[in-house]
């Protein structure tokens, strides 16, 4: 190649293949909601001190998504034909990780039943593997649904793909500061935008919004979220 061309590396070529197949195979739609996260961030800071794990909003979103599984099991399934969805045996959730060596979507296993601190430790391990680029094929496969993590401040909204054969992908944007009225007094609050790209053959907009509200409700209620985490 000359100075005016750039050859894509192996990781990016892999991403290109996944994205191309997603757009070819999945007729996707998209919905988004905004959720305040002040309370859950404060609880996560306390939980990090209690457990010694580095627990942040990405882990909480993964756990909140997993907690929505009983009410929306088919969103975690696979479309077999035009009328049948195979439901997942366990809530295994892929998460986007990009440490500068390419984008990977490794899978956190059994997210519904495992403690949040364990998921946080696993996610840290996945980040280190992304930095070294040493994932196995098994670590990158088998997710029932994926979450696109975009924690950089100021990221308003992310519309992800749906990774075939999955049916949905949740996105979480970066933290934003909003001014709201609390007892008539302007007060700063931190919010993020949750998005859901979904296979329109299986999930309609009304259900997509209901799913997002279920996830948002868990994030707004940190005691409920952390109790379900600590006692699993």
């Amino acid at each position: 190649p000359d100075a005016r061309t750039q050859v894509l590396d192996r990781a990016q070529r892999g991403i290109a293949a996944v994205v191309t197949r997603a757009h070819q195979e999945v007729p996707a739609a998209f919905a988004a909601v905004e959720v305040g996260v002040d309370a859950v961030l404060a609880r996560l800071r306390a939980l990090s001190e209690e457990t010694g794990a580095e627990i942040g909003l990405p882990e909480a979103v993964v756990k909140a998504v997993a907690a929505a599984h009983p009410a929306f099991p088919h969103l975690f399934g696979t479309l077999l034909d035009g009328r049948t969805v195979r439901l997942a045996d366990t809530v295994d959730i892929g998460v986007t990780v990009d440490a500068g060596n390419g984008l990977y979507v490794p899978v956190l296993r059994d997210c519904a039943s495992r403690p949040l601190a364990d998921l946080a430790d696993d996610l840290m391990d996945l980040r280190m593997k992304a930095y070294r680029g040493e994932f196995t094929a098994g670590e990158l496969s088998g997710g029932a649904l994926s979450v696109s993590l975009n924690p950089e401040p100021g990221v308003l909204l992310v519309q992800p793909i749906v990774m075939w054969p999955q049916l949905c992908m949740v996105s979480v944007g970066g933290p934003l500061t909003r001014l709201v009225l609390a007892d008539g007094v302007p007060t700063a609050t931190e919010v993020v935008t949750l998005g859901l790209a979904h296979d329109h053959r299986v999930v309609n907009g009304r259900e997509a919004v209901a799913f997002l509200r279920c996830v948002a409700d868990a994030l707004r209620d940190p005691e409920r979220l952390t109790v379900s985490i600590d006692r699993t």
Side-chain angles (χ1 to χ4, degrees):
D2 60 33
R4 293 173 296 175
T5 63
Q6 178 177 335
V7 177
L8 299 177
D9 61 28
R10 181 178 179 182
Q12 190 60 43
R13 294 197 301 272
I15 294 167
V18 171
V19 171
T20 299
R21 184 165 195 180
H23 284 291
Q24 289 174 341
E25 299 281 354
V26 183
F30 182 72
V33 301
E34 189 174 89
V35 55
V37 292
D38 288 326
V40 72
L41 289 177
R43 183 67 185 96
L44 292 175
R45 286 191 291 268
L47 192 61
S48 295
E49 294 179 1
E50 294 168 14
T51 63
E54 191 172 331
I55 306 171
L57 190 61
E59 293 85 357
V61 169
V62 169
K63 192 66 181 184
V65 168
H69 173 258
F72 301 91
H74 58 293
L75 271 67
F76 296 77
T78 300
L79 188 64
L80 296 181
D81 53 42
R83 55 183 291 179
T84 311
V85 174
R86 176 188 288 144
L87 304 182
D89 294 325
T90 58
V91 185
D92 300 333
I93 297 180
V95 291
T96 59
V97 181
D98 191 342
N101 296 322
L103 176 66
Y104 299 92
V105 191
V107 179
L108 290 169
R109 305 293 174 181
D110 201 12
C111 298
S113 63
R114 296 174 59 216
L116 185 57
D118 284 0
L119 296 179
D121 288 342
D122 281 0
L123 186 52
M124 179 60 69
D125 183 53
L126 294 178
R127 291 182 180 118
M128 294 305 299
K129 289 186 175 183
Y131 179 76
R132 296 190 295 265
E134 59 178 27
F135 287 109
T136 65
E139 290 170 322
L140 298 172
S141 63
L145 181 151
S146 293
V147 177
S148 174
L149 302 173
N150 307 274
E152 292 296 322
V155 176
L156 296 174
L157 176 69
V158 174
Q159 183 172 344
I161 64 168
V162 178
M163 295 181 57
W164 185 92
Q166 296 175 16
L167 300 177
C168 296
M169 190 175 208
V170 174
S171 66
V172 54
L176 302 168
T177 300
R178 297 271 192 257
L179 283 179
V180 299
L181 288 178
D183 297 325
V185 179
T187 304
T189 186
E190 199 162 5
V191 303
V192 298
T193 301
L194 298 177
L196 181 70
H198 52 97
D199 189 326
H200 215 325
R201 294 171 297 182
V202 178
V203 183
N204 293 325
R206 184 176 183 274
E207 189 171 34
V209 171
F211 173 83
L212 287 171
R213 285 176 174 161
C214 183
V215 176
D217 285 346
L219 293 174
R220 291 190 188 100
D221 189 351
E223 291 309 315
R224 168 189 153 200
L225 183 63
T226 55
V227 165
S228 69
I229 290 162
D230 296 338
R231 295 181 182 175
T232 51

